[in-house]
Amino acid sequence: ALQKGDAALGGFISEWDRLARSGGDAVRQALAESLRGVMPAMRALASEDVDLLEQMNVVDDHRRQADFLAYSSIFCGTAAGGGTGGNGMRCDLRFLDDSRKEAEAL
């Protein structure tokens, strides 16, 4: 399951530009799909290897943050008055860029 998840995550990252053009919801759905079996597999292994538990928590933190940022990109235009997310970039694109960084850290 971990190898399959790693391959799916690689595909997710390679499709990022297409997904980001479709918006934060598309990114969130693809992220969830690519990691579907990874966390249960990691939990099973962590029950036998305590050192893996910390690594699993790091992966889960990156997953949650990537999802949160993609979710935030959906609403930032209205919540922030359509503002920018820094360096003149639209806030939705900034959130998606930050989400990609979190996904790449997985």
Coordinates of all heavy atoms in Angstrom, one line a residue:
A1 N 0.8 -1.2 0.0 CA 0.0 0.0 0.0 C 0.9 1.3 0.0 O 0.5 2.2 -0.6 CB -0.9 0.0 1.2
L2 N 2.0 1.2 0.7 CA 2.9 2.4 0.7 C 3.5 2.7 -0.6 O 3.6 3.8 -1.1 CB 4.0 2.2 1.8 CG 3.5 2.2 3.2 CD1 4.7 1.9 4.2 CD2 2.8 3.5 3.6
Q3 N 3.9 1.6 -1.3 CA 4.5 1.8 -2.7 C 3.4 2.3 -3.6 O 3.7 3.2 -4.5 CB 5.1 0.5 -3.2 CG 6.4 0.1 -2.5 CD 6.9 -1.2 -2.9 OE1 6.2 -2.0 -3.5 NE2 8.2 -1.5 -2.7
K4 N 2.2 1.8 -3.5 CA 1.1 2.2 -4.4 C 0.8 3.7 -4.1 O 0.6 4.5 -5.0 CB -0.1 1.3 -4.1 CG -1.2 1.5 -5.1 CD -2.3 0.5 -4.8 CE -3.4 0.6 -5.8 NZ -4.5 -0.3 -5.5
G5 N 0.8 4.0 -2.8 CA 0.5 5.4 -2.4 C 1.6 6.4 -2.9 O 1.3 7.5 -3.3
D6 N 2.8 5.9 -2.8 CA 3.9 6.8 -3.3 C 3.8 7.0 -4.8 O 4.0 8.1 -5.2 CB 5.3 6.1 -3.0 CG 6.5 7.0 -3.2 OD1 6.5 8.1 -2.8 OD2 7.4 6.5 -3.9
A7 N 3.5 6.0 -5.5 CA 3.3 6.1 -7.0 C 2.1 7.1 -7.3 O 2.2 7.9 -8.2 CB 3.1 4.8 -7.6
A8 N 1.0 6.9 -6.5 CA -0.2 7.8 -6.7 C 0.2 9.2 -6.4 O -0.3 10.1 -7.1 CB -1.3 7.2 -5.9
L9 N 0.9 9.4 -5.3 CA 1.3 10.8 -5.0 C 2.2 11.4 -6.0 O 2.0 12.6 -6.3 CB 2.0 10.8 -3.6 CG 2.4 12.1 -3.0 CD1 1.1 12.9 -2.8 CD2 3.1 11.9 -1.7
G10 N 3.1 10.6 -6.6 CA 3.9 11.1 -7.7 C 3.0 11.6 -8.9 O 3.3 12.6 -9.5
G11 N 2.0 10.8 -9.2 CA 1.1 11.1 -10.3 C 0.3 12.4 -9.9 O 0.1 13.2 -10.8
F12 N -0.1 12.5 -8.7 CA -0.8 13.7 -8.2 C 0.0 14.9 -8.4 O -0.4 15.9 -8.9 CB -1.2 13.5 -6.7 CG -1.6 14.7 -6.0 CD1 -2.9 15.3 -6.2 CD2 -0.8 15.3 -5.0 CE1 -3.3 16.4 -5.5 CE2 -1.2 16.4 -4.4 CZ -2.5 17.0 -4.6
I13 N 1.3 14.9 -8.0 CA 2.2 16.0 -8.1 C 2.4 16.4 -9.6 O 2.4 17.5 -10.0 CB 3.5 15.8 -7.4 CG1 3.4 15.6 -5.9 CG2 4.5 16.9 -7.7 CD1 2.8 16.8 -5.2
S14 N 2.6 15.4 -10.4 CA 2.8 15.6 -11.9 C 1.6 16.2 -12.6 O 1.7 16.9 -13.6 CB 3.3 14.3 -12.6 OG 2.2 13.4 -12.7
E15 N 0.4 16.0 -12.0 CA -0.8 16.6 -12.6 C -1.2 17.9 -11.9 O -2.3 18.4 -12.1 CB -2.0 15.6 -12.4 CG -1.8 14.4 -13.3 CD -2.0 14.7 -14.8 OE1 -2.9 15.5 -15.1 OE2 -1.2 14.3 -15.6
W16 N -0.3 18.4 -11.1 CA -0.7 19.6 -10.2 C -1.2 20.7 -11.0 O -2.3 21.3 -10.7 CB 0.5 20.0 -9.4 CG 0.1 21.1 -8.5 CD1 0.1 22.5 -8.7 CD2 -0.5 21.0 -7.2 NE1 -0.4 23.1 -7.7 CE2 -0.8 22.3 -6.7 CE3 -0.8 19.9 -6.4 CZ2 -1.3 22.5 -5.5 CZ3 -1.3 20.1 -5.2 CH2 -1.6 21.4 -4.7
D17 N -0.6 21.1 -12.1 CA -1.0 22.3 -12.8 C -2.4 22.1 -13.4 O -3.2 23.1 -13.3 CB 0.0 22.6 -14.0 CG 1.3 23.1 -13.5 OD1 1.4 23.7 -12.4 OD2 2.3 22.9 -14.2
R18 N -2.7 21.0 -13.9 CA -4.1 20.7 -14.4 C -5.1 20.8 -13.2 O -6.2 21.4 -13.3 CB -4.1 19.3 -15.1 CG -5.5 19.0 -15.6 CD -5.6 17.6 -16.2 NE -5.3 16.6 -15.2 CZ -6.3 16.2 -14.3 NH1 -7.4 16.7 -14.3 NH2 -6.0 15.2 -13.4
L19 N -4.7 20.1 -12.1 CA -5.7 20.1 -11.0 C -5.9 21.5 -10.4 O -7.0 21.9 -10.1 CB -5.1 19.2 -9.9 CG -5.1 17.7 -10.2 CD1 -4.2 17.0 -9.2 CD2 -6.5 17.2 -10.2
A20 N -4.8 22.3 -10.3 CA -4.9 23.7 -9.7 C -5.8 24.5 -10.6 O -6.5 25.4 -10.1 CB -3.5 24.3 -9.6
R21 N -5.7 24.3 -11.9 CA -6.6 25.1 -12.8 C -8.1 24.8 -12.5 O -8.9 25.7 -12.7 CB -6.3 24.9 -14.3 CG -5.0 25.6 -14.7 CD -4.9 25.6 -16.3 NE -4.8 24.2 -16.8 CZ -3.7 23.5 -16.9 NH1 -2.5 24.1 -16.6 NH2 -3.7 22.3 -17.4
S22 N -8.3 23.6 -12.0 CA -9.7 23.2 -11.7 C -10.1 23.7 -10.3 O -11.3 23.6 -9.9 CB -9.9 21.7 -11.8 OG -9.6 21.3 -13.1
G23 N -9.2 24.2 -9.5 CA -9.5 24.8 -8.2 C -9.2 23.9 -7.0 O -8.8 22.7 -7.2
G24 N -9.3 24.4 -5.9 CA -9.0 23.8 -4.6 C -9.7 22.5 -4.4 O -9.2 21.5 -3.8
D25 N -11.0 22.4 -4.8 CA -11.7 21.2 -4.5 C -11.2 20.0 -5.3 O -11.1 18.9 -4.8 CB -13.2 21.4 -4.9 CG -14.1 20.4 -4.2 OD1 -13.8 20.1 -3.0 OD2 -15.1 20.0 -4.8
A26 N -10.8 20.3 -6.6 CA -10.2 19.2 -7.4 C -8.9 18.8 -6.8 O -8.6 17.6 -6.8 CB -9.9 19.7 -8.8
V27 N -8.1 19.7 -6.2 CA -6.8 19.3 -5.6 C -7.1 18.5 -4.4 O -6.5 17.4 -4.2 CB -6.0 20.6 -5.2 CG1 -4.9 20.3 -4.3 CG2 -5.5 21.3 -6.4
R28 N -8.1 18.9 -3.5 CA -8.4 18.1 -2.3 C -8.8 16.7 -2.7 O -8.4 15.7 -2.0 CB -9.5 18.8 -1.6 CG -9.1 20.2 -1.0 CD -10.2 20.8 -0.2 NE -10.3 20.1 1.0 CZ -11.5 19.8 1.6 NH1 -12.6 20.2 1.0 NH2 -11.5 19.2 2.8
Q29 N -9.7 16.6 -3.7 CA -10.2 15.2 -4.1 C -9.0 14.3 -4.5 O -9.0 13.2 -4.2 CB -11.3 15.3 -5.1 CG -12.6 15.9 -4.6 CD -13.6 16.2 -5.7 OE1 -13.4 15.9 -6.8 NE2 -14.7 16.7 -5.3
A30 N -8.2 14.9 -5.4 CA -7.1 14.1 -5.9 C -6.1 13.8 -4.8 O -5.5 12.6 -4.8 CB -6.4 14.9 -7.0
L31 N -5.8 14.6 -3.9 CA -4.9 14.4 -2.8 C -5.5 13.2 -1.9 O -4.8 12.2 -1.6 CB -4.8 15.6 -1.9 CG -3.9 15.4 -0.6 CD1 -2.5 15.1 -1.0 CD2 -4.0 16.7 0.2
A32 N -6.8 13.3 -1.6 CA -7.4 12.2 -0.8 C -7.3 10.9 -1.5 O -7.0 9.8 -0.9 CB -8.9 12.6 -0.5
E33 N -7.6 10.9 -2.8 CA -7.5 9.7 -3.6 C -6.1 9.1 -3.7 O -6.0 7.9 -3.5 CB -8.1 9.9 -5.0 CG -8.2 8.7 -5.9 CD -9.1 7.6 -5.4 OE1 -10.1 8.0 -4.8 OE2 -8.8 6.4 -5.6
S34 N -5.1 9.9 -3.8 CA -3.8 9.4 -4.0 C -3.2 8.9 -2.7 O -2.4 8.0 -2.7 CB -2.8 10.5 -4.5 OG -2.7 11.6 -3.6
L35 N -3.8 9.3 -1.5 CA -3.3 8.8 -0.2 C -4.3 7.9 0.5 O -4.1 7.6 1.6 CB -3.0 10.0 0.7 CG -1.9 10.9 0.2 CD1 -1.8 12.1 1.1 CD2 -0.6 10.2 0.2
R36 N -5.2 7.4 -0.3 CA -6.3 6.6 0.3 C -5.8 5.5 1.2 O -6.3 5.3 2.3 CB -7.2 6.0 -0.8 CG -8.4 5.3 -0.2 CD -9.5 5.0 -1.2 NE -9.9 6.2 -2.0 CZ -10.7 7.1 -1.6 NH1 -11.2 7.1 -0.4 NH2 -11.1 8.1 -2.3
G37 N -4.9 4.7 0.8 CA -4.5 3.5 1.6 C -3.2 3.7 2.4 O -2.8 2.9 3.2
V38 N -2.6 4.9 2.3 CA -1.3 5.1 2.9 C -1.4 5.2 4.4 O -0.6 4.6 5.1 CB -0.6 6.4 2.3 CG1 0.6 6.8 3.1 CG2 -0.3 6.2 0.9
M39 N -2.3 6.0 5.0 CA -2.3 6.2 6.4 C -2.7 4.9 7.1 O -2.0 4.6 8.1 CB -3.3 7.3 6.8 CG -2.8 8.7 6.3 SD -1.1 9.1 6.7 CE -1.1 9.2 8.4
P40 N -3.7 4.1 6.7 CA -3.9 2.8 7.3 C -2.7 1.9 7.3 O -2.4 1.2 8.3 CB -5.1 2.2 6.6 CG -5.8 3.4 6.0 CD -4.7 4.4 5.7
A41 N -2.0 1.9 6.2 CA -0.8 1.0 6.1 C 0.3 1.5 7.0 O 1.0 0.7 7.7 CB -0.3 1.0 4.6
M42 N 0.5 2.8 7.1 CA 1.5 3.4 8.0 C 1.1 3.1 9.5 O 2.0 2.8 10.3 CB 1.6 4.9 7.8 CG 2.4 5.2 6.5 SD 2.7 7.0 6.4 CE 4.1 7.2 7.5
R43 N -0.2 3.2 9.8 CA -0.6 2.9 11.2 C -0.3 1.4 11.5 O 0.1 1.1 12.7 CB -2.1 3.2 11.4 CG -2.4 4.6 11.6 CD -3.9 4.8 12.0 NE -4.2 6.2 11.7 CZ -4.8 6.6 10.6 NH1 -5.2 5.8 9.6 NH2 -5.0 7.9 10.4
A44 N -0.5 0.5 10.6 CA -0.3 -0.9 10.8 C 1.2 -1.1 11.1 O 1.6 -1.9 12.0 CB -0.8 -1.7 9.7
L45 N 2.0 -0.5 10.3 CA 3.5 -0.6 10.5 C 4.0 0.0 11.7 O 4.9 -0.5 12.4 CB 4.2 0.0 9.3 CG 4.1 -0.8 7.9 CD1 4.7 0.0 6.8 CD2 4.8 -2.2 8.1
A46 N 3.4 1.2 12.1 CA 3.8 1.9 13.3 C 3.5 1.2 14.5 O 4.1 1.3 15.6 CB 3.1 3.3 13.3
S47 N 2.5 0.3 14.5 CA 2.1 -0.5 15.7 C 3.3 -1.5 16.0 O 3.4 -1.9 17.1 CB 0.8 -1.2 15.5 OG 1.0 -2.3 14.5
E48 N 4.1 -1.8 15.0 CA 5.2 -2.7 15.2 C 6.6 -1.9 15.3 O 7.6 -2.5 15.7 CB 5.3 -3.7 14.0 CG 4.1 -4.5 13.8 CD 4.1 -5.3 12.5 OE1 5.1 -5.3 11.9 OE2 3.0 -5.8 12.2
D49 N 6.6 -0.7 14.9 CA 7.8 0.1 14.9 C 7.5 1.5 15.4 O 7.0 2.4 14.7 CB 8.4 0.2 13.4 CG 9.7 0.9 13.3 OD1 10.1 1.5 14.3 OD2 10.2 1.0 12.2
V50 N 7.9 1.7 16.6 CA 7.6 3.0 17.3 C 8.2 4.2 16.6 O 7.7 5.3 16.6 CB 8.0 2.9 18.8 CG1 7.7 4.2 19.5 CG2 7.2 1.8 19.5
D51 N 9.4 4.0 16.1 CA 10.1 5.1 15.4 C 9.3 5.6 14.2 O 9.4 6.7 13.8 CB 11.5 4.7 14.9 CG 12.4 4.4 16.1 OD1 12.2 5.1 17.2 OD2 13.3 3.6 16.0
L52 N 8.6 4.7 13.5 CA 7.8 5.0 12.4 C 6.6 5.9 12.8 O 6.1 6.6 11.9 CB 7.3 3.7 11.7 CG 6.6 3.9 10.3 CD1 7.5 4.6 9.3 CD2 6.1 2.6 9.8
L53 N 6.2 5.8 14.0 CA 5.0 6.6 14.5 C 5.3 8.1 14.3 O 4.4 8.8 13.8 CB 4.7 6.3 15.9 CG 3.5 7.0 16.5 CD1 2.2 6.6 15.7 CD2 3.3 6.6 18.0
E54 N 6.4 8.5 14.6 CA 6.8 10.0 14.5 C 6.8 10.3 13.0 O 6.3 11.4 12.6 CB 8.1 10.3 15.1 CG 8.4 11.8 15.1 CD 9.7 12.1 15.9 OE1 10.0 11.5 16.9 OE2 10.3 13.1 15.4
Q55 N 7.3 9.5 12.2 CA 7.4 9.8 10.7 C 5.9 9.8 10.2 O 5.6 10.7 9.3 CB 8.2 8.7 10.0 CG 8.4 9.0 8.5 CD 9.3 8.0 7.9 OE1 9.7 7.0 8.5 NE2 9.6 8.1 6.6
M56 N 5.1 8.9 10.6 CA 3.7 8.9 10.2 C 3.0 10.2 10.6 O 2.3 10.8 9.8 CB 3.0 7.7 10.8 CG 1.5 7.6 10.4 SD 0.6 6.4 11.3 CE 0.2 7.4 12.8
N57 N 3.3 10.7 11.8 CA 2.7 12.0 12.2 C 3.2 13.2 11.3 O 2.4 14.1 11.0 CB 3.0 12.3 13.7 CG 2.3 11.3 14.6 OD1 1.2 10.8 14.3 ND2 2.8 11.1 15.8
V58 N 4.4 13.2 10.9 CA 4.9 14.2 10.0 C 4.2 14.1 8.7 O 3.7 15.2 8.2 CB 6.4 14.1 9.8 CG1 6.9 15.0 8.7 CG2 7.2 14.4 11.2
V59 N 4.1 13.0 8.1 CA 3.3 12.8 6.9 C 1.9 13.3 7.0 O 1.4 14.0 6.2 CB 3.4 11.3 6.4 CG1 2.4 11.0 5.2 CG2 4.8 10.9 6.0
D60 N 1.3 12.9 8.1 CA -0.1 13.3 8.3 C -0.3 14.8 8.5 O -1.2 15.4 8.0 CB -0.7 12.5 9.5 CG -2.3 12.6 9.5 OD1 -2.9 12.5 8.4 OD2 -2.8 12.8 10.6
D61 N 0.7 15.4 9.1 CA 0.7 16.9 9.3 C 0.8 17.5 7.9 O 0.0 18.5 7.6 CB 1.8 17.4 10.2 CG 1.6 17.0 11.6 OD1 0.4 16.7 12.0 OD2 2.5 17.1 12.4
H62 N 1.6 17.1 7.0 CA 1.8 17.6 5.7 C 0.5 17.4 4.9 O 0.0 18.3 4.2 CB 3.0 17.1 5.0 CG 4.3 17.6 5.4 ND1 4.7 18.9 5.3 CD2 5.3 17.0 6.0 CE1 5.9 19.1 5.7 NE2 6.3 17.9 6.2
R63 N -0.1 16.2 5.0 CA -1.3 15.9 4.3 C -2.4 16.9 4.8 O -3.1 17.4 3.9 CB -1.8 14.5 4.6 CG -3.1 14.1 3.9 CD -3.7 12.8 4.4 NE -4.0 12.9 5.9 CZ -5.1 13.6 6.3 NH1 -5.9 14.2 5.6 NH2 -5.3 13.6 7.7
R64 N -2.6 17.0 6.1 CA -3.6 17.9 6.6 C -3.4 19.4 6.1 O -4.4 20.0 5.8 CB -3.7 17.8 8.1 CG -4.2 16.6 8.7 CD -4.1 16.5 10.2 NE -4.3 15.2 10.7 CZ -5.4 14.9 11.4 NH1 -6.3 15.8 11.7 NH2 -5.5 13.7 11.9
Q65 N -2.2 19.8 6.2 CA -1.9 21.2 5.8 C -2.1 21.4 4.3 O -2.7 22.4 3.9 CB -0.5 21.6 6.2 CG -0.1 23.0 6.0 CD -0.9 23.9 6.9 OE1 -1.6 23.5 7.9 NE2 -0.8 25.2 6.7
A66 N -1.7 20.4 3.5 CA -2.0 20.5 2.0 C -3.5 20.6 1.8 O -4.0 21.4 0.9 CB -1.4 19.4 1.3
D67 N -4.3 19.8 2.5 CA -5.7 19.8 2.3 C -6.3 21.1 2.8 O -7.1 21.7 2.1 CB -6.3 18.6 3.1 CG -7.8 18.6 2.9 OD1 -8.3 18.3 1.8 OD2 -8.5 18.9 3.9
F68 N -5.9 21.6 3.9 CA -6.4 22.9 4.5 C -6.1 24.0 3.6 O -7.0 24.9 3.3 CB -5.7 23.1 5.9 CG -5.9 24.5 6.4 CD1 -7.2 24.8 6.9 CD2 -4.9 25.4 6.4 CE1 -7.4 26.1 7.4 CE2 -5.2 26.7 6.9 CZ -6.4 27.1 7.4
L69 N -4.9 24.1 3.0 CA -4.5 25.2 2.1 C -5.4 25.1 0.8 O -5.8 26.2 0.3 CB -3.0 25.2 1.8 CG -2.2 25.6 3.0 CD1 -0.7 25.2 2.8 CD2 -2.3 27.1 3.3
A70 N -5.5 23.9 0.3 CA -6.4 23.8 -0.9 C -7.8 24.2 -0.6 O -8.5 24.9 -1.4 CB -6.3 22.4 -1.4
Y71 N -8.3 23.8 0.6 CA -9.7 24.2 1.0 C -9.7 25.8 1.1 O -10.7 26.4 0.7 CB -10.0 23.6 2.3 CG -11.4 23.9 2.9 CD1 -12.5 23.3 2.3 CD2 -11.5 24.8 3.9 CE1 -13.8 23.6 2.8 CE2 -12.7 25.1 4.4 CZ -13.9 24.5 3.9 OH -15.1 24.8 4.4
S72 N -8.7 26.4 1.7 CA -8.7 27.8 1.9 C -8.7 28.6 0.6 O -9.3 29.6 0.5 CB -7.5 28.2 2.7 OG -7.6 27.7 4.0
S73 N -8.1 28.0 -0.4 CA -8.1 28.6 -1.7 C -9.5 28.8 -2.3 O -9.7 29.7 -3.1 CB -7.2 27.8 -2.7 OG -7.9 26.7 -3.2
I74 N -10.4 28.0 -1.9 CA -11.7 28.0 -2.5 C -12.4 29.3 -2.0 O -13.2 29.9 -2.7 CB -12.6 26.8 -2.0 CG1 -11.9 25.5 -2.6 CG2 -14.0 26.9 -2.5 CD1 -12.5 24.2 -2.0
F75 N -12.2 29.7 -0.8 CA -12.9 30.8 -0.1 C -12.2 32.1 0.1 O -12.7 33.1 0.5 CB -13.4 30.3 1.2 CG -14.3 29.1 1.1 CD1 -13.8 27.9 1.5 CD2 -15.6 29.2 0.7 CE1 -14.6 26.7 1.4 CE2 -16.4 28.1 0.5 CZ -15.9 26.9 0.9
C76 N -10.9 32.1 -0.2 CA -10.1 33.3 0.1 C -10.5 34.5 -0.7 O -10.4 35.6 -0.2 CB -8.6 33.0 0.0 SG -8.0 33.0 -1.7
G77 N -11.0 34.3 -1.9 CA -11.4 35.5 -2.7 C -12.5 36.3 -2.1 O -12.5 37.5 -2.1
T78 N -13.4 35.6 -1.4 CA -14.5 36.3 -0.8 C -14.2 36.7 0.6 O -14.5 37.8 1.1 CB -15.8 35.4 -0.8 OG1 -15.5 34.2 -0.2 CG2 -16.3 35.2 -2.2
A79 N -13.5 35.8 1.4 CA -13.1 36.1 2.7 C -12.1 37.2 2.9 O -12.1 38.0 3.8 CB -12.6 34.9 3.4
A80 N -11.2 37.3 1.9 CA -10.2 38.3 1.9 C -10.5 39.5 1.0 O -9.6 40.3 0.7 CB -8.8 37.7 1.5
G81 N -11.7 39.6 0.6 CA -12.1 40.7 -0.3 C -11.5 40.6 -1.6 O -11.3 41.6 -2.3
G82 N -11.1 39.4 -2.0 CA -10.5 39.3 -3.3 C -9.0 39.7 -3.3 O -8.5 40.0 -4.4
G83 N -8.4 39.8 -2.2 CA -7.0 40.3 -2.1 C -6.0 39.4 -2.6 O -6.3 38.3 -3.2
T84 N -4.8 39.8 -2.4 CA -3.6 39.0 -2.9 C -3.0 38.3 -1.7 O -3.2 38.6 -0.6 CB -2.6 39.9 -3.5 OG1 -2.1 40.9 -2.5 CG2 -3.1 40.7 -4.7
G85 N -2.3 37.2 -2.1 CA -1.7 36.4 -1.1 C -0.2 36.7 -0.9 O 0.5 35.9 -0.4
G86 N 0.2 37.8 -1.4 CA 1.7 38.1 -1.3 C 2.3 38.2 -2.7 O 1.9 37.4 -3.6
N87 N 3.2 39.1 -2.8 CA 4.0 39.3 -4.1 C 3.0 39.5 -5.2 O 3.3 39.2 -6.4 CB 4.8 38.1 -4.4 CG 5.9 37.9 -3.4 OD1 6.4 38.8 -2.8 ND2 6.3 36.6 -3.1
G88 N 1.8 40.1 -4.9 CA 0.9 40.4 -6.0 C 0.1 39.2 -6.5 O -0.7 39.4 -7.5
M89 N 0.3 38.0 -6.0 CA -0.3 36.8 -6.5 C -1.7 36.8 -5.9 O -1.9 37.1 -4.7 CB 0.5 35.6 -6.1 CG -0.1 34.3 -6.6 SD 0.8 32.8 -6.0 CE 2.2 32.8 -7.1
R90 N -2.7 36.4 -6.7 CA -4.1 36.2 -6.2 C -4.0 35.2 -5.0 O -3.3 34.2 -5.0 CB -5.0 35.6 -7.2 CG -5.5 36.6 -8.2 CD -6.6 36.0 -9.1 NE -6.9 34.6 -9.0 CZ -7.0 33.8 -10.1 NH1 -6.8 34.2 -11.3 NH2 -7.2 32.5 -9.9
C91 N -4.8 35.5 -4.0 CA -4.8 34.6 -2.8 C -5.1 33.2 -3.1 O -4.5 32.3 -2.5 CB -5.7 35.2 -1.7 SG -7.4 35.1 -2.0
D92 N -6.0 32.9 -4.0 CA -6.3 31.5 -4.3 C -5.1 30.7 -4.8 O -4.8 29.6 -4.5 CB -7.5 31.3 -5.1 CG -7.4 31.9 -6.5 OD1 -6.7 33.0 -6.6 OD2 -8.0 31.5 -7.4
L93 N -4.4 31.4 -5.7 CA -3.2 30.8 -6.3 C -2.1 30.7 -5.3 O -1.3 29.7 -5.3 CB -2.7 31.7 -7.5 CG -3.7 31.8 -8.6 CD1 -3.1 32.7 -9.7 CD2 -4.1 30.4 -9.2
R94 N -2.0 31.6 -4.3 CA -0.9 31.6 -3.3 C -1.2 30.3 -2.4 O -0.4 29.6 -2.0 CB -0.9 32.8 -2.5 CG -0.1 32.8 -1.2 CD 1.4 32.6 -1.5 NE 1.9 33.7 -2.2 CZ 3.1 33.7 -2.8 NH1 3.9 32.6 -2.7 NH2 3.5 34.7 -3.5
F95 N -2.5 30.2 -2.0 CA -2.9 29.0 -1.2 C -2.6 27.7 -1.9 O -2.1 26.8 -1.3 CB -4.3 29.1 -0.7 CG -4.6 29.9 0.4 CD1 -5.5 31.0 0.3 CD2 -4.1 29.7 1.7 CE1 -5.8 31.8 1.4 CE2 -4.3 30.5 2.8 CZ -5.2 31.5 2.7
L96 N -2.9 27.7 -3.2 CA -2.6 26.4 -4.0 C -1.1 26.2 -4.1 O -0.7 25.0 -4.1 CB -3.3 26.5 -5.3 CG -4.8 26.3 -5.3 CD1 -5.4 26.6 -6.6 CD2 -5.2 25.0 -4.7
D97 N -0.4 27.2 -4.2 CA 1.1 27.1 -4.3 C 1.6 26.6 -3.0 O 2.5 25.6 -3.0 CB 1.7 28.5 -4.7 CG 3.2 28.4 -4.9 OD1 3.6 27.5 -5.7 OD2 4.0 29.1 -4.3
D98 N 1.1 27.1 -1.9 CA 1.6 26.6 -0.6 C 1.1 25.1 -0.4 O 1.8 24.3 0.2 CB 1.1 27.5 0.5 CG 1.7 28.9 0.5 OD1 2.8 29.0 -0.1 OD2 1.2 29.8 1.2
S99 N -0.1 24.8 -0.9 CA -0.6 23.5 -0.8 C 0.3 22.5 -1.5 O 0.6 21.4 -1.0 CB -2.0 23.4 -1.3 OG -2.5 22.1 -1.3
R100 N 0.8 22.9 -2.7 CA 1.7 22.1 -3.5 C 3.0 21.8 -2.7 O 3.5 20.7 -2.7 CB 2.0 22.7 -4.8 CG 2.9 21.9 -5.7 CD 3.3 22.6 -6.9 NE 4.1 21.7 -7.7 CZ 4.1 21.7 -9.1 NH1 3.2 22.4 -9.7 NH2 4.8 20.8 -9.7
K101 N 3.5 22.8 -2.1 CA 4.7 22.7 -1.3 C 4.5 21.6 -0.2 O 5.4 20.8 0.1 CB 5.2 24.0 -0.7 CG 5.7 25.0 -1.8 CD 6.0 26.3 -1.2 CE 6.3 27.3 -2.3 NZ 6.3 28.7 -1.9
E102 N 3.4 21.7 0.5 CA 3.1 20.7 1.5 C 3.0 19.3 0.9 O 3.5 18.3 1.5 CB 1.8 21.0 2.3 CG 2.0 22.3 3.1 CD 2.9 22.1 4.3 OE1 3.0 20.9 4.8 OE2 3.5 23.1 4.8
A103 N 2.3 19.2 -0.2 CA 2.2 17.9 -0.9 C 3.5 17.3 -1.3 O 3.8 16.1 -1.2 CB 1.2 18.0 -2.1
E104 N 4.4 18.2 -1.8 CA 5.7 17.7 -2.2 C 6.5 17.3 -1.0 O 7.4 16.4 -1.2 CB 6.4 18.8 -3.0 CG 5.8 19.1 -4.4 CD 6.4 20.3 -5.1 OE1 7.0 21.2 -4.4 OE2 6.3 20.4 -6.3
A105 N 6.3 17.8 0.1 CA 7.0 17.4 1.4 C 6.6 16.0 1.8 O 7.3 15.4 2.6 CB 6.8 18.5 2.5
L106 N 5.4 15.5 1.3 CA 5.0 14.2 1.7 C 6.0 13.2 1.3 O 6.2 12.2 1.8 CB 3.6 13.9 1.1 CG 2.4 14.7 1.7 CD1 1.2 14.5 0.9 CD2 2.1 14.1 3.1

